[in-house]
Amino acid sequence: MSYLEFRSVTKRYGPVEVVAPFDLEVAEGEFVVFLGPSGCGKTTLMRMVGGLEQPSSGRILLRGQPLGPPDRRRGMVFQSYSAFPWLTVAGNVAYGMRYRRDLTAAEKRARTAHFLRLVGLTDFAHQWPNRISGGMRQRVAIARTLAAGSEILLMDEPFGALDALRRERLQLELRRIQREEGRTVIFVTHDVEEAAFLADRVIVFTRRPARILAEVDVTARLGPESTLELRGSAEFFALRNELLALVRSTDEEEEATAP
Amino acid sequence: MAGSRHRILIGTAASLGLILLWEAVSRSGAVSARFLPAPSVVVATLWTMIAERGLLYHAGVSTLRVWVAFLIAAAMAVPIGILMGSVRWIGAALEPVIDFIRYLPVPALVPLSIIWFGVGESTKIFLLWLGTFFQLVLLVADDVRRVPHEFHETAMTVGAPGWRRLTDVSLPAMLPTLVDNMRITLGWCWTYLIIAEIVAADSGLGFVIWQARRFFQTPEVMAGVITIGIIGLLTDQVIRAAHRRWFRYLVR
Ligand SMILES: Nc1ncnc2c1ncn2[C@@H]1O[C@H](COP(=O)(O)OP(=O)(O)OP(=O)(O)O)[C@@H](O)[C@H]1O
Ligand SMILES: [Mg+2]
């Protein structure tokens, strides 16, 4: 039995078929990246895992159990509005545990401090989200999701709005945290390099309705570590080009089907 | 902050210039003092009215009426508006009725209000409530709908039960706009108050102004109007200052 399983999942909005029968198995602790053309249905798939949308047909199973309404096992990190502006950085992280009855106040404080340290925001604990950078706000959201105890992190283009340097730093951090905490991640991006760098496995999608065009097992090709040295290696470059070629082919498909 | 000091300076200078112009026009005799008494006369009248005619008492009565009616309206509008904005069928059920009442001009309802409540305090409170509740409740409902869905979804994915999202997400997210809307609605309250006090009152600034008009005491009419202006300006500035203080987190 796999950890997270899509079984012939489809999604339609009225007449528009957004997700074609979709099957995928994700292992526990795996970092899966969704890569695909704009509007192909990546966000929709992710929101279905989060319980924020219902499949039109098919099922999504977590440890063999059908998914119910949203709960804290499946945490979301959005691209924008990722932190509540009226709570401090620490308040936002603690918010992840607000509805947990299994933790005492002292435990919540300790966990808040722990996850703030993990994402490197201890010094900004009492700052307002509007006064820190976009990258820091994304880290707040990651810490909140981890503090909530989410097993799965659903991240929809979380680093899209960042400059190259911050982005790289955040990628390294995310990868480290995910390893340390043993969480499963589903990560959506348009950036081929980001996909190659972060993923254990990249799923490349066709245009809408979403189907799997290709699966690339990155770990098998590059090993399990994501380091900056790796980024300069020939293997990484080859993989990146391969992904780019796949993404391009979805684009040509578009031209081919155009009248 | 040089920019804001500059603005204050320009604003003060322009107001002073206007007052001086007014003084000059009145003194030149181009317009009869009966219609346009000089500002110096108005200020002197204001002073005698405070000292001898209990203007501050009337101002206090008016302010109290405004605040009582406004607080009742707000205390009802906020929870109802939040429900209307959050629960679709409640919004769908109430919106047409509220929209209809909102478009009724308050002055047109004065006779009805007097039939229902007589000429006592309840009529005035009712009219003010009428003028503000229905406006505010729709503003609140709209503000709730404008809360980014990401905020709600964040709450859901950390396990927030539905009703806690109202108090923990909707309310704090809309609070800054809510305070702004309340400030604006409070201003409208004064308009309705004066109408109510002119029609049916023996106290309050509206009553004072109307009395003065009957005896053609233009300086007193103006002094009354200016008192309302000053109260409005002060209230507005205090709420603005509080807004800046409470919602410091909005400053980038
Ligand atoms: N609530 C909705 N109602 C109608 N159509 C929708 C809705 N949500 C998404 N769609 C449509 O479904 C398709 C897939 O949307 P989705 O957001 O999943 O794409 P995506 O792969 O995340 O795209 P992008 O890379 O641009 O974020 C789009 O064509 C979109 O217009
Ligand atoms: Mg998307």
Side-chain angles (χ1 to χ4, degrees), chain A residues 159-171:
Chain A
F159 306 152
L162 306 181
D163 64 70
L165 208 64
R166 281 187 205 289
R167 198 170 175 143
E168 186 171 84
R169 214 178 289 153
L170 228 53
Q171 288 167 355

Side-chain angles (χ1 to χ4, degrees), chain A residues 43 156-157 188:
Chain A
T43 297
D156 197 357
E157 300 183 49
V188 171

Side-chain angles (χ1 to χ4, degrees), chain B residues 183 230-244:
Chain B
R183 181 173 58 80
I230 291 173
I231 295 173
L233 189 70
L234 285 180
T235 316
D236 204 78
Q237 290 301 319
V238 168
I239 299 177
R240 275 176 200 270
H243 193 285
R244 277 193 296 273

Side-chain angles (χ1 to χ4, degrees), chain B residues 93-115:
Chain B
L94 296 184
E95 215 137 296
V97 187
I98 292 179
D99 244 337
F100 172 73
I101 299 176
R102 187 170 72 111
Y103 275 103
L104 301 179
V106 170
L109 292 167
V110 170
L112 195 61
S113 162
I114 292 180
I115 291 173

